[in-house]
Amino acid sequence: MARNIFKGLGIALITPFTTTGSVDYAALKRLVEYQLANGADFLCILATTGETPCLTFDEKEKIKELVVDVVHGRIPIVVGCGGNNTAAVVEELKTANFRGIDGVLSVCPYYNKPSQEGLYQHFKRIAEASPLPVILYNVPGRTGINMKPETTVRLANDCENIVAIKEASGNIEQVDEIIKAKPDRFDVISGDDAITYQLIASGGAGVISVIGNALPKEFSRMIRLEFRGEYEAARKIHHKFTELYKLLFVDGNPAGVKALLHEMGMIENELRLPLVPTRVTTLQKISAILRDLRI
């Protein structure tokens, strides 16, 4: 029976672009090495924060190969594999190259707003087709549908290779319901940096983080302190980031974290349409907070 190996600090890896709009593979390699050197426990590639809908098939394959080669088995890698056409996701799972990949992250179907039974059947088919452990991804703010705790727990009980859920509903009460009723081998992972402290304190196993792209050492320290029961020290780190959590998402994701990484000199501040960079006022506030954090 599969168990979840994706614990601690996971990074929802961005895709850097050059000023001419192509994928900046050199910057991506540097970013992955930076994560490895600064406390990342696993990487999540080709998902929302990676602007995956705006990448070509060839770009996605090259990104996957580069990350796998740089990581070289040192930490687990999970890759995004989801959609709102169940048959197409199943076909991708059966035919994709998963060399060096340890799991798949599959988002709730978006736009067509299935019922809870529809969500159950969708993920049951995915679990049956996947050669790798599956992490469910519930993000109602993006998909238009919330997977309820009873559906999550039903899938966890019925499908042996569904090992975790990335919960980005922002609802701690919902998280508590899942943690209370889930089987022991199944974990809840935060999908929202701002409530990671509370989620781990409630029994969560970690986070797939946006802010971790830029500040992995600090964010992983908060998580490790919580795992050791040192909640007061962890809370101080959490409060240090409170304003930054808001700024990174006020103009959309990954615009905020790309602005932060640009201010740190790590990437160009480039996104692909329909996404655009943060407003100048947001960038100025991010820059000021970064100066304070360095002090």
Side-chain angles (χ1 to χ4, degrees), residues 175-209:
V175 169
D176 278 339
E177 285 185 51
I178 298 168
I179 290 173
K180 183 172 67 176
K182 71 178 182 65
D184 288 342
R185 63 171 190 83
F186 180 88
D187 285 324
V188 178
I189 299 168
S190 176
D192 182 346
D193 287 333
I195 63 167
T196 295
Y197 174 83
Q198 294 93 326
L199 189 143
I200 291 176
S202 297
V207 62
I208 296 177
S209 172

mmCIF file of all heavy atoms in Angstrom, residues 175-209:
data_model
loop_
_atom_site.group_PDB
_atom_site.id
_atom_site.type_symbol
_atom_site.label_atom_id
_atom_site.label_comp_id
_atom_site.label_asym_id
_atom_site.label_seq_id
_atom_site.Cartn_x
_atom_site.Cartn_y
_atom_site.Cartn_z
ATOM 1 N N VAL A 175 -10.081 21.422 6.627
ATOM 2 C CA VAL A 175 -8.841 20.679 6.830
ATOM 3 C C VAL A 175 -8.958 19.790 8.064
ATOM 4 O O VAL A 175 -8.588 18.613 8.045
ATOM 5 C CB VAL A 175 -7.649 21.654 6.981
ATOM 6 C CG1 VAL A 175 -6.402 20.925 7.470
ATOM 7 C CG2 VAL A 175 -7.375 22.351 5.653
ATOM 8 N N ASP A 176 -9.485 20.337 9.160
ATOM 9 C CA ASP A 176 -9.646 19.571 10.394
ATOM 10 C C ASP A 176 -10.542 18.347 10.186
ATOM 11 O O ASP A 176 -10.268 17.267 10.713
ATOM 12 C CB ASP A 176 -10.239 20.449 11.498
ATOM 13 C CG ASP A 176 -9.196 21.307 12.191
ATOM 14 O OD1 ASP A 176 -8.008 20.958 12.127
ATOM 15 O OD2 ASP A 176 -9.576 22.333 12.791
ATOM 16 N N GLU A 177 -11.612 18.534 9.404
ATOM 17 C CA GLU A 177 -12.525 17.412 9.134
ATOM 18 C C GLU A 177 -11.808 16.282 8.402
ATOM 19 O O GLU A 177 -12.005 15.102 8.704
ATOM 20 C CB GLU A 177 -13.724 17.898 8.312
ATOM 21 C CG GLU A 177 -14.741 18.699 9.105
ATOM 22 C CD GLU A 177 -15.964 19.042 8.259
ATOM 23 O OE1 GLU A 177 -16.547 18.131 7.627
ATOM 24 O OE2 GLU A 177 -16.335 20.226 8.223
ATOM 25 N N ILE A 178 -10.975 16.650 7.429
ATOM 26 C CA ILE A 178 -10.232 15.631 6.676
ATOM 27 C C ILE A 178 -9.239 14.918 7.593
ATOM 28 O O ILE A 178 -9.166 13.684 7.611
ATOM 29 C CB ILE A 178 -9.490 16.259 5.473
ATOM 30 C CG1 ILE A 178 -10.472 16.883 4.485
ATOM 31 C CG2 ILE A 178 -8.641 15.200 4.752
ATOM 32 C CD1 ILE A 178 -9.818 17.766 3.428
ATOM 33 N N ILE A 179 -8.465 15.693 8.359
ATOM 34 C CA ILE A 179 -7.446 15.104 9.241
ATOM 35 C C ILE A 179 -8.085 14.183 10.276
ATOM 36 O O ILE A 179 -7.539 13.119 10.599
ATOM 37 C CB ILE A 179 -6.608 16.219 9.898
ATOM 38 C CG1 ILE A 179 -5.718 16.895 8.841
ATOM 39 C CG2 ILE A 179 -5.749 15.672 11.042
ATOM 40 C CD1 ILE A 179 -4.969 18.112 9.324
ATOM 41 N N LYS A 180 -9.239 14.560 10.782
ATOM 42 C CA LYS A 180 -9.920 13.747 11.803
ATOM 43 C C LYS A 180 -10.396 12.404 11.244
ATOM 44 O O LYS A 180 -10.332 11.384 11.929
ATOM 45 C CB LYS A 180 -11.119 14.537 12.339
ATOM 46 C CG LYS A 180 -11.885 13.847 13.458
ATOM 47 C CD LYS A 180 -12.920 14.792 14.060
ATOM 48 C CE LYS A 180 -14.025 15.112 13.061
ATOM 49 N NZ LYS A 180 -15.095 15.959 13.666
ATOM 50 N N ALA A 181 -10.824 12.381 9.964
ATOM 51 C CA ALA A 181 -11.463 11.184 9.406
ATOM 52 C C ALA A 181 -10.581 10.355 8.470
ATOM 53 O O ALA A 181 -10.939 9.242 8.102
ATOM 54 C CB ALA A 181 -12.729 11.604 8.655
ATOM 55 N N LYS A 182 -9.414 10.867 8.088
ATOM 56 C CA LYS A 182 -8.584 10.216 7.063
ATOM 57 C C LYS A 182 -7.924 8.946 7.589
ATOM 58 O O LYS A 182 -7.701 8.803 8.800
ATOM 59 C CB LYS A 182 -7.505 11.182 6.576
ATOM 60 C CG LYS A 182 -6.407 11.434 7.617
ATOM 61 C CD LYS A 182 -5.330 12.355 7.112
ATOM 62 C CE LYS A 182 -4.231 12.560 8.137
ATOM 63 N NZ LYS A 182 -3.479 11.322 8.435
ATOM 64 N N PRO A 183 -7.544 8.021 6.687
ATOM 65 C CA PRO A 183 -6.716 6.889 7.109
ATOM 66 C C PRO A 183 -5.298 7.360 7.445
ATOM 67 O O PRO A 183 -4.847 8.404 6.963
ATOM 68 C CB PRO A 183 -6.717 5.977 5.881
ATOM 69 C CG PRO A 183 -7.074 6.844 4.730
ATOM 70 C CD PRO A 183 -7.925 7.946 5.261
ATOM 71 N N ASP A 184 -4.582 6.596 8.275
ATOM 72 C CA ASP A 184 -3.253 7.002 8.748
ATOM 73 C C ASP A 184 -2.259 7.222 7.611
ATOM 74 O O ASP A 184 -1.388 8.090 7.698
ATOM 75 C CB ASP A 184 -2.682 5.947 9.702
ATOM 76 C CG ASP A 184 -3.400 5.959 11.040
ATOM 77 O OD1 ASP A 184 -4.069 6.963 11.351
ATOM 78 O OD2 ASP A 184 -3.292 4.959 11.774
ATOM 79 N N ARG A 185 -2.354 6.447 6.539
ATOM 80 C CA ARG A 185 -1.355 6.511 5.461
ATOM 81 C C ARG A 185 -1.562 7.723 4.553
ATOM 82 O O ARG A 185 -0.718 8.006 3.694
ATOM 83 C CB ARG A 185 -1.440 5.244 4.601
ATOM 84 C CG ARG A 185 -2.757 5.091 3.894
ATOM 85 C CD ARG A 185 -2.820 3.978 2.868
ATOM 86 N NE ARG A 185 -4.055 4.103 2.104
ATOM 87 C CZ ARG A 185 -4.223 4.904 1.074
ATOM 88 N NH1 ARG A 185 -3.225 5.669 0.664
ATOM 89 N NH2 ARG A 185 -5.377 4.980 0.449
ATOM 90 N N PHE A 186 -2.645 8.464 4.718
ATOM 91 C CA PHE A 186 -3.012 9.593 3.858
ATOM 92 C C PHE A 186 -2.705 10.899 4.589
ATOM 93 O O PHE A 186 -2.984 11.040 5.774
ATOM 94 C CB PHE A 186 -4.505 9.495 3.530
ATOM 95 C CG PHE A 186 -5.036 10.598 2.648
ATOM 96 C CD1 PHE A 186 -4.994 10.481 1.263
ATOM 97 C CD2 PHE A 186 -5.600 11.737 3.202
ATOM 98 C CE1 PHE A 186 -5.507 11.484 0.451
ATOM 99 C CE2 PHE A 186 -6.116 12.749 2.391
ATOM 100 C CZ PHE A 186 -6.068 12.618 1.014
ATOM 101 N N ASP A 187 -2.120 11.871 3.869
ATOM 102 C CA ASP A 187 -1.725 13.141 4.485
ATOM 103 C C ASP A 187 -2.428 14.336 3.856
ATOM 104 O O ASP A 187 -2.835 14.292 2.689
ATOM 105 C CB ASP A 187 -0.217 13.348 4.350
ATOM 106 C CG ASP A 187 0.579 12.477 5.304
ATOM 107 O OD1 ASP A 187 0.116 12.264 6.444
ATOM 108 O OD2 ASP A 187 1.658 11.993 4.912
ATOM 109 N N VAL A 188 -2.505 15.414 4.643
ATOM 110 C CA VAL A 188 -3.006 16.702 4.145
ATOM 111 C C VAL A 188 -1.823 17.655 4.042
ATOM 112 O O VAL A 188 -1.057 17.833 4.995
ATOM 113 C CB VAL A 188 -4.089 17.280 5.074
ATOM 114 C CG1 VAL A 188 -4.560 18.644 4.555
ATOM 115 C CG2 VAL A 188 -5.271 16.315 5.182
ATOM 116 N N ILE A 189 -1.672 18.247 2.857
ATOM 117 C CA ILE A 189 -0.591 19.186 2.569
ATOM 118 C C ILE A 189 -1.207 20.551 2.290
ATOM 119 O O ILE A 189 -2.197 20.661 1.566
ATOM 120 C CB ILE A 189 0.206 18.716 1.327
ATOM 121 C CG1 ILE A 189 0.835 17.332 1.580
ATOM 122 C CG2 ILE A 189 1.283 19.721 0.942
ATOM 123 C CD1 ILE A 189 1.379 16.680 0.321
ATOM 124 N N SER A 190 -0.631 21.585 2.856
ATOM 125 C CA SER A 190 -1.153 22.934 2.635
ATOM 126 C C SER A 190 -0.890 23.392 1.202
ATOM 127 O O SER A 190 0.202 23.198 0.664
ATOM 128 C CB SER A 190 -0.497 23.925 3.598
ATOM 129 O OG SER A 190 -0.932 25.248 3.324
ATOM 130 N N GLY A 191 -1.895 24.021 0.608
ATOM 131 C CA GLY A 191 -1.737 24.634 -0.700
ATOM 132 C C GLY A 191 -1.788 26.141 -0.620
ATOM 133 O O GLY A 191 -1.964 26.831 -1.625
ATOM 134 N N ASP A 192 -1.646 26.661 0.590
ATOM 135 C CA ASP A 192 -1.781 28.091 0.826
ATOM 136 C C ASP A 192 -0.742 28.493 1.876
ATOM 137 O O ASP A 192 -0.853 28.115 3.041
ATOM 138 C CB ASP A 192 -3.209 28.369 1.326
ATOM 139 C CG ASP A 192 -3.500 29.841 1.562
ATOM 140 O OD1 ASP A 192 -2.543 30.643 1.595
ATOM 141 O OD2 ASP A 192 -4.686 30.193 1.727
ATOM 142 N N ASP A 193 0.271 29.246 1.460
ATOM 143 C CA ASP A 193 1.338 29.631 2.377
ATOM 144 C C ASP A 193 0.817 30.289 3.652
ATOM 145 O O ASP A 193 1.319 30.036 4.745
ATOM 146 C CB ASP A 193 2.306 30.603 1.687
ATOM 147 C CG ASP A 193 3.191 29.928 0.655
ATOM 148 O OD1 ASP A 193 3.452 28.718 0.797
ATOM 149 O OD2 ASP A 193 3.622 30.613 -0.293
ATOM 150 N N ALA A 194 -0.202 31.129 3.525
ATOM 151 C CA ALA A 194 -0.670 31.940 4.648
ATOM 152 C C ALA A 194 -1.265 31.115 5.778
ATOM 153 O O ALA A 194 -1.279 31.565 6.934
ATOM 154 C CB ALA A 194 -1.691 32.967 4.160
ATOM 155 N N ILE A 195 -1.771 29.908 5.481
ATOM 156 C CA ILE A 195 -2.350 29.088 6.558
ATOM 157 C C ILE A 195 -1.524 27.827 6.834
ATOM 158 O O ILE A 195 -1.983 26.915 7.524
ATOM 159 C CB ILE A 195 -3.822 28.709 6.273
ATOM 160 C CG1 ILE A 195 -3.943 27.836 5.011
ATOM 161 C CG2 ILE A 195 -4.697 29.944 6.181
ATOM 162 C CD1 ILE A 195 -5.307 27.192 4.877
ATOM 163 N N THR A 196 -0.313 27.792 6.312
ATOM 164 C CA THR A 196 0.541 26.616 6.542
ATOM 165 C C THR A 196 0.835 26.413 8.015
ATOM 166 O O THR A 196 0.806 25.276 8.511
ATOM 167 C CB THR A 196 1.847 26.747 5.741
ATOM 168 O OG1 THR A 196 1.536 26.720 4.346
ATOM 169 C CG2 THR A 196 2.812 25.613 6.051
ATOM 170 N N TYR A 197 1.110 27.492 8.733
ATOM 171 C CA TYR A 197 1.396 27.360 10.167
ATOM 172 C C TYR A 197 0.230 26.671 10.879
ATOM 173 O O TYR A 197 0.429 25.695 11.622
ATOM 174 C CB TYR A 197 1.664 28.738 10.789
ATOM 175 C CG TYR A 197 1.830 28.674 12.283
ATOM 176 C CD1 TYR A 197 3.056 28.341 12.854
ATOM 177 C CD2 TYR A 197 0.744 28.910 13.131
ATOM 178 C CE1 TYR A 197 3.210 28.250 14.235
ATOM 179 C CE2 TYR A 197 0.880 28.817 14.511
ATOM 180 C CZ TYR A 197 2.120 28.483 15.047
ATOM 181 O OH TYR A 197 2.244 28.372 16.411
ATOM 182 N N GLN A 198 -0.991 27.158 10.636
ATOM 183 C CA GLN A 198 -2.159 26.588 11.303
ATOM 184 C C GLN A 198 -2.426 25.151 10.843
ATOM 185 O O GLN A 198 -2.791 24.289 11.637
ATOM 186 C CB GLN A 198 -3.404 27.441 11.023
ATOM 187 C CG GLN A 198 -3.353 28.828 11.631
ATOM 188 C CD GLN A 198 -2.802 29.874 10.669
ATOM 189 O OE1 GLN A 198 -1.925 29.593 9.854
ATOM 190 N NE2 GLN A 198 -3.323 31.094 10.774
ATOM 191 N N LEU A 199 -2.237 24.891 9.554
ATOM 192 C CA LEU A 199 -2.529 23.566 9.025
ATOM 193 C C LEU A 199 -1.582 22.518 9.611
ATOM 194 O O LEU A 199 -2.017 21.423 9.998
ATOM 195 C CB LEU A 199 -2.447 23.584 7.501
ATOM 196 C CG LEU A 199 -2.928 22.316 6.784
ATOM 197 C CD1 LEU A 199 -3.638 22.672 5.480
ATOM 198 C CD2 LEU A 199 -1.763 21.368 6.470
ATOM 199 N N ILE A 200 -0.298 22.841 9.711
ATOM 200 C CA ILE A 200 0.648 21.880 10.282
ATOM 201 C C ILE A 200 0.382 21.691 11.774
ATOM 202 O O ILE A 200 0.460 20.566 12.293
ATOM 203 C CB ILE A 200 2.097 22.318 10.003
ATOM 204 C CG1 ILE A 200 2.385 22.182 8.500
ATOM 205 C CG2 ILE A 200 3.102 21.485 10.811
ATOM 206 C CD1 ILE A 200 3.742 22.656 8.072
ATOM 207 N N ALA A 201 0.022 22.769 12.454
ATOM 208 C CA ALA A 201 -0.326 22.654 13.880
ATOM 209 C C ALA A 201 -1.540 21.750 14.084
ATOM 210 O O ALA A 201 -1.683 21.120 15.138
ATOM 211 C CB ALA A 201 -0.598 24.039 14.462
ATOM 212 N N SER A 202 -2.399 21.657 13.059
ATOM 213 C CA SER A 202 -3.594 20.814 13.135
ATOM 214 C C SER A 202 -3.329 19.368 12.733
ATOM 215 O O SER A 202 -4.236 18.538 12.778
ATOM 216 C CB SER A 202 -4.698 21.385 12.229
ATOM 217 O OG SER A 202 -5.102 22.661 12.660
ATOM 218 N N GLY A 203 -2.100 19.079 12.288
ATOM 219 C CA GLY A 203 -1.764 17.712 11.904
ATOM 220 C C GLY A 203 -1.420 17.529 10.445
ATOM 221 O O GLY A 203 -1.315 16.400 9.973
ATOM 222 N N GLY A 204 -1.236 18.626 9.708
ATOM 223 C CA GLY A 204 -0.842 18.541 8.308
ATOM 224 C C GLY A 204 0.596 18.080 8.159
ATOM 225 O O GLY A 204 1.398 18.161 9.102
ATOM 226 N N ALA A 205 0.921 17.599 6.949
ATOM 227 C CA ALA A 205 2.243 16.989 6.719
ATOM 228 C C ALA A 205 3.239 17.926 6.056
ATOM 229 O O ALA A 205 4.406 17.571 5.900
ATOM 230 C CB ALA A 205 2.086 15.743 5.852
ATOM 231 N N GLY A 206 2.801 19.124 5.642
ATOM 232 C CA GLY A 206 3.718 20.028 4.961
ATOM 233 C C GLY A 206 2.979 21.006 4.085
ATOM 234 O O GLY A 206 1.797 21.278 4.285
ATOM 235 N N VAL A 207 3.684 21.516 3.073
ATOM 236 C CA VAL A 207 3.135 22.538 2.183
ATOM 237 C C VAL A 207 3.729 22.375 0.791
ATOM 238 O O VAL A 207 4.859 21.897 0.647
ATOM 239 C CB VAL A 207 3.446 23.958 2.732
ATOM 240 C CG1 VAL A 207 4.953 24.199 2.804
ATOM 241 C CG2 VAL A 207 2.787 25.052 1.902
ATOM 242 N N ILE A 208 2.946 22.721 -0.223
ATOM 243 C CA ILE A 208 3.493 22.958 -1.563
ATOM 244 C C ILE A 208 3.454 24.469 -1.728
ATOM 245 O O ILE A 208 2.396 25.057 -1.926
ATOM 246 C CB ILE A 208 2.706 22.203 -2.649
ATOM 247 C CG1 ILE A 208 2.856 20.685 -2.433
ATOM 248 C CG2 ILE A 208 3.212 22.594 -4.049
ATOM 249 C CD1 ILE A 208 2.069 19.831 -3.405
ATOM 250 N N SER A 209 4.614 25.088 -1.601
ATOM 251 C CA SER A 209 4.722 26.515 -1.312
ATOM 252 C C SER A 209 5.102 27.362 -2.515
ATOM 253 O O SER A 209 5.928 26.967 -3.333
ATOM 254 C CB SER A 209 5.779 26.701 -0.210
ATOM 255 O OG SER A 209 6.068 28.071 -0.006
#
